[in-house]
């Protein structure tokens, strides 16, 4: 009897050892997709879905004709939405949340530039960019930055409830332009917009980017120096209450935020794997993640599908909806910055994890 007990104990130890030491290769899986052929109406509006927000539980699209459309995912219908109040305004960026339209570019240019495309307006005469909101056919200027839009991209997002607009001058597109401007987050409170009032709060936050606001919490990236900055930076993900951005909970190590679900439960991000940046989905509560493998999702426009309740990617002729992973086997807090692979290993790996073309 004692020999049998010892034998069973040895077997259990061997099995536990195999479980712990199993190759990580077994943890990767191909993404599970729902593929939808894009309908004719969507193709008429634009070759690619230029998604600029949501309204009335529908997606808001910007057409190639520079007009706004509501797209109903359920019925597949598209209908014209709010008209842009152009006048002498030239916008290079647009976001929509219900009836509030945020724009960046030039507000109220001199009349001589009324018919001039924005990319042909002399840079030396207009080296700045305006922020304004269109609401009830009125334009409300909320800010202006002394940097030309070509030199300085400022990323903005509406909060999930549409009551705030948050902007990051520090981005991965144009980082390190001006420490005085970059090391801050600009938070605009829209609760009194009906009265034409918008209040601005400047939140100090060094090297912070990709900020989202959900349920009175910030979700954001913050770059953290590796080897005092000589070896680059981690782009970590943190969560913090709206009243104290320094009261952080670390969610992930060296993963950049792309998008987030409306409830803040899952983050769509990107992380380096076998010499490529690839999409991942993070379970925020458990702080674990899974790689989303199968196609070049990262290069495609993405959005959160209201109907499917999944992240979706626009592949031109098709829209691909990604199922949330059944398991999240990877520790989001694990440091993988210095992992190295050979080119041959990379080639073999990516050959295994590819869906067939459409």
């Amino acid at each position: 009897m004692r020999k049998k007990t010892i034998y069973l104990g040895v077997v259990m130890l061997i099995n536990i050892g195999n479980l712990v030491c199993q190759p990580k290769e077994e943890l990767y899986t191909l993404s599970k997709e729902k593929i939808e052929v894009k309908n004719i109406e969507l193709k008429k509006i634009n070759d690619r879905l230029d998604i600029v927000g949501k309204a009335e539980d529908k997606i808001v699209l910007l057409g190639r004709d520079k007009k706004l459309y509501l797209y109903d995912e359920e019925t597949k219908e598209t209908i014209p939405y709010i008209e842009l109040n152009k006048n002498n305004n030239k916008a290079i960026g647009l976001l929509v949340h219900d009836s509030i339209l945020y724009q960046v570019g030039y507000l109220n240019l001199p009349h001589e530039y009324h018919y001039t495309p924005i990319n042909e307006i002399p840079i030396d005469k207009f080296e700045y960019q305006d922020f304004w909101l269109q609401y009830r056919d009125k334009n409300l200027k909320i800010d202006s930055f002394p940097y030309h839009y070509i030199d300085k991209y400022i990323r903005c997002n509406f909060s999930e409830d549409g009551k705030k607009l948050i902007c990051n001058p520090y981005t991965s597109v144009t980082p390190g332009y001006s420490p005085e401007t970059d090391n801050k987050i600009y938070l605009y409170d829209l609760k009194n917009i009906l009265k034409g009032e918008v209040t601005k709060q400047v939140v100090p936050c060094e090297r912070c980017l990709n900020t989202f606001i959900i349920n009175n919490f910030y979700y954001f990236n913050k770059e953290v120096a590796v080897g005092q900055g000589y070896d680059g930076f981690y782009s970590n993900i943190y969560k913090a209450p709206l009243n104290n951005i320094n009261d952080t909970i670390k969610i992930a190590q060296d993963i950049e935020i792309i998008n987030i679900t409306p409830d803040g439960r899952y983050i769509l991000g990107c992380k380096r794997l076998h010499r490529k940046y690839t999409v991942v989905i993070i379970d925020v509560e458990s702080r674990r993640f899974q790689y989303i493998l199968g196609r070049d999702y990262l290069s495609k426009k993405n959005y959160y599908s209201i109907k499917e309740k999944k992240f979706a990617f626009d592949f031109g002729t098709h829209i691909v909806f990604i199922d949330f992973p059944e398991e999240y086997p990877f520790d989001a807090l694990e440091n993988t910055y210095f992992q190295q692979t050979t080119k041959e290993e990379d080639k073999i790996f990516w050959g295994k994890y590819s869906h067939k073309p459409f």
Side-chain angles (χ1 to χ4, degrees):
M1 181 68 181
R2 187 164 178 266
K3 287 183 178 179
K4 186 176 180 181
T5 303
I6 293 171
Y7 171 76
L8 289 173
V10 170
V11 170
M12 287 179 68
L13 286 172
I14 292 172
N15 287 337
I16 291 169
N18 289 338
L19 180 64
V20 173
C21 301
Q22 65 179 329
K24 280 196 173 181
E25 188 79 14
E26 296 179 13
L27 302 179
Y28 300 106
T29 59
L30 274 172
S31 64
K32 292 185 179 179
E33 303 177 322
K34 177 182 178 180
I35 301 173
E36 191 174 275
V37 178
K38 197 181 292 183
N39 66 32
I40 296 173
E41 292 301 316
L42 282 178
K43 291 179 181 178
K44 284 180 181 178
I45 290 174
N46 218 330
D47 295 329
R48 290 285 191 274
L49 296 182
D50 195 352
I51 297 166
V52 293
K54 62 181 181 179
E56 303 172 13
D57 291 326
K58 298 177 180 62
I59 294 170
V60 182
L61 306 175
L62 180 64
R64 64 169 62 89
D65 57 4
K66 301 305 177 186
K67 293 182 180 179
L68 295 173
Y69 297 86
L70 285 181
Y71 172 56
D72 190 321
E73 293 183 276
E74 194 73 49
T75 64
K76 311 301 180 189
E77 292 179 331
T78 54
I79 58 173
Y81 193 45
I82 298 171
E83 288 191 17
L84 293 173
N85 185 4
K86 294 181 180 178
N87 295 327
N88 285 340
N89 310 326
K90 302 284 185 184
I92 51 98
L94 174 70
L95 287 175
V96 179
H97 194 288
D98 290 330
S99 56
I100 302 175
L101 280 61
Y102 157 78
Q103 296 178 75
V104 57
Y106 299 129
L107 179 65
N108 297 329
L109 280 165
H111 188 74
E112 61 187 285
Y113 295 104
H114 185 83
Y115 296 104
T116 307
I118 190 169
N119 61 323
E120 295 179 14
I121 294 174
I123 293 177
D124 58 336
K125 291 186 178 181
F126 302 96
E127 198 168 354
Y128 64 90
Q129 51 185 302
D130 294 326
F131 288 5
W132 71 93
L133 301 174
Q134 179 182 323
Y135 182 67
R136 294 194 170 185
D137 297 326
K138 293 182 180 179
N139 289 323
L140 179 62
K141 184 175 176 179
I142 61 171
D143 221 330
S144 187
F145 287 87
Y147 313 108
H148 194 273
Y149 62 84
I150 290 177
D151 297 325
K152 185 65 177 173
Y153 168 66
I154 300 174
R155 180 177 181 177
C156 297
N157 289 308
F158 279 107
S159 60
E160 185 55 35
D161 60 9
K163 294 180 180 179
K164 290 179 174 59
L165 178 74
I166 189 158
C167 297
N168 284 112
Y170 190 83
T171 70
S172 56
V173 180
T174 54
Y177 191 84
S178 167
E180 291 183 2
T181 304
D182 285 351
N183 292 332
K184 299 169 184 175
I185 291 173
Y186 296 84
L187 182 62
Y188 304 91
D189 194 322
L190 314 181
K191 65 183 177 184
N192 291 322
I193 192 171
L194 190 61
K195 299 178 183 178
E197 299 174 3
V198 175
T199 58
K200 172 184 173 181
Q201 180 184 354
V202 180
V203 182
C205 194
E206 186 175 357
R207 289 183 174 270
C208 295
L209 62 160
N210 304 329
T211 308
F212 293 81
I213 296 178
I214 295 174
N215 297 329
N216 290 318
F217 281 93
Y218 294 106
Y219 295 80
F220 63 101
N221 276 119
K222 182 177 175 66
E223 290 188 345
V224 179
V226 181
Q228 297 182 334
Y230 297 110
D231 297 316
F233 293 84
Y234 298 122
S235 189
N236 300 338
I237 300 175
Y238 297 91
K239 176 182 177 181
L242 202 58
N243 61 359
N244 186 3
I245 199 167
N246 296 312
D247 183 14
T248 57
I249 296 172
K250 187 175 177 181
I251 294 172
Q253 171 85 13
D254 205 32
I255 298 177
E256 186 165 347
I257 300 176
I258 300 173
N259 208 339
I260 190 166
T261 55
D263 59 3
R265 185 176 175 184
Y266 298 100
I267 290 174
L268 183 73
C270 70
K271 188 173 180 67
R272 193 167 177 82
L273 176 69
H274 283 274
R275 297 176 196 261
K276 291 183 182 181
Y277 282 98
T278 188
V279 168
V280 303
I281 292 180
I282 306 169
D283 182 323
V284 172
E285 187 175 342
S286 68
R287 288 180 280 183
R288 303 188 69 81
F289 75 97
Q290 176 59 291
Y291 293 96
I292 307 302
L293 308 176
R295 304 186 196 277
D296 185 12
Y297 301 109
L298 195 58
S299 67
K300 308 305 177 187
K301 284 262 189 179
N302 75 85
Y303 64 99
Y304 181 76
S305 169
I306 299 169
K307 173 181 175 287
E308 296 290 337
K309 296 187 179 351
K310 300 175 183 179
F311 291 115
F313 299 83
D314 178 12
F315 279 80
T317 55
H318 297 75
I319 299 173
V320 178
F321 304 91
I322 300 297
D323 284 1
F324 284 94
E326 294 178 3
E327 296 180 350
Y328 296 83
F330 297 98
D331 184 351
L333 298 176
E334 183 181 358
N335 187 354
T336 59
Y337 189 81
F338 294 106
Q339 285 187 355
Q340 298 294 329
T341 55
T342 66
K343 289 184 179 180
E344 185 60 29
E345 287 172 335
D346 300 335
K347 184 178 179 181
I348 293 171
F349 179 86
W350 291 114
K352 289 180 180 179
Y353 297 100
S354 296
H355 286 301
K356 294 179 181 179
F358 299 119

